[in-house]
Amino acid sequence: MRRSPAFEFDNHPPFFYLETQKGACMSTHKKLIISRQAIASRVKELAAQISRDYARKNPLLIGILKGAFIFLADLTRAMDFPVEVDFVRLRSYGAGTTTSGEVHITKDVETVIEGRHVLVVEDIVDVGLTLNFLLEYLNGFRPASLKVCCLIDKKERRRVEVPLDYVGFTVEKGFLVGYGLDCGENCRTLPDIYEMVESGGGD
Ligand code: IMP
Ligand code: MG
């Protein structure tokens, strides 16, 4: 099995990934920016903070599919008490790396929101339109409180100010993959987070 020179990683993950996750974005190089160890320790800290803030509040954690599924799974299992989870699926991106500007719900929340302490769990906030749309939508159901926990706050392209109550990591820019984040459905299940950079573009 030969490693494709068009699909390279800095820390040489198993060949499994190289064989199964190449596709639309295979002509790019990936630079490791957040290791699985750094993710695990930050998730633990966030879970501890959220556990303290939400003790005795019976919170409802709503993950935004698909990107947040791994983060939500790790976050909830690191919390001090069992929590109720639900999911919403929103689409704002096509197969590429730029926003379409429009947000659609393709899978709605199934839990009664009214009177609940809701914590939205998102993978990455970029332009802000996705989260802004969801917060307005959820507010319409009159939750007791509505807060946001995002793994990555990507600041450079923000167009709508959205309140981020718990943030895992802050980055300025770049298109990231791994730990739930995809590029055209590729690389979502990589355990670390990489920035996609142009082939031959260096670090
Ligand atoms: P926005 O904040 O409205 O631009 O939308 C954020 C959504 O776009 C996230 O939930 C992701 O699904 C996707 N997204 C934004 N930046 C990235 C990235 O760097 N990698 C993968 N998906 C991204
Ligand atoms: Mg997302």
Side-chain angles (χ1 to χ4, degrees):
M1 198 187 293
R2 288 208 318 123
R3 193 159 175 254
S4 163
F7 194 74
E8 290 179 346
F9 292 81
D10 285 304
N11 72 339
H12 309 285
F15 279 122
F16 172 78
Y17 290 119
L18 304 179
E19 288 306 303
T20 59
Q21 301 210 9
K22 58 191 177 189
C25 298
M26 64 182 287
S27 63
T28 48
H29 182 79
K30 289 165 187 59
K31 177 182 168 191
L32 178 68
I33 62 157
I34 311 174
S35 70
R36 66 195 76 181
Q37 293 82 1
I39 296 169
S41 100
R42 189 69 188 115
V43 167
K44 218 171 143 188
E45 288 171 1
L46 287 172
Q49 199 183 343
I50 292 167
S51 297
R52 281 195 301 275
D53 295 351
Y54 284 89
R56 295 177 297 278
K57 284 190 174 170
N58 185 28
L60 172 66
L61 271 63
I62 300 180
I64 306 183
L65 294 172
K66 298 180 194 176
F69 83 108
I70 294 177
F71 178 40
L72 180 73
D74 285 348
L75 187 69
T76 51
R77 288 177 302 163
M79 287 178 62
D80 286 351
F81 51 89
V83 284
E84 192 175 342
V85 299
D86 200 345
F87 292 94
V88 64
R89 184 160 181 208
L90 303 170
R91 275 192 74 88
S92 60
Y93 269 68
T97 59
T98 51
T99 182
S100 68
E102 269 178 55
V103 184
H104 305 277
I105 296 180
T106 59
K107 184 235 164 287
D108 210 339
V109 175
E110 292 164 32
T111 313
V112 176
I113 303 291
E114 186 169 354
R116 295 296 300 269
H117 291 281
V118 173
L119 181 64
V120 172
V121 179
E122 173 64 310
D123 53 359
I124 184 164
V125 181
D126 182 13
V127 174
L129 286 170
T130 306
L131 200 53
N132 188 55
F133 170 89
L134 183 65
L135 293 177
E136 275 181 16
Y137 177 73
L138 294 176
N139 255 325
F141 295 105
R142 292 182 297 173
S145 69
L146 182 60
K147 291 193 173 181
V148 177
C149 173
C150 78
L151 181 67
I152 300 167
D153 178 6
K154 186 165 75 175
K155 292 191 166 297
E156 193 193 38
R157 302 199 299 179
R158 191 69 37 84
R159 294 212 311 253
V160 194
E161 271 323 305
V162 277
L164 303 179
D165 303 281
Y166 306 90
V167 175
F169 301 92
T170 300
V171 300
E172 251 336 278
K173 56 187 176 183
F175 199 82
L176 312 184
V177 294
Y179 198 70
L181 296 160
D182 75 309
C183 177
E185 293 304 325
N186 291 283
C187 302
R188 208 188 273 290
T189 60
L190 294 174
D192 310 278
I193 296 176
Y194 297 84
E195 179 181 353
M196 300 186 65
V197 291
E198 294 300 321
S199 283
D203 283 344

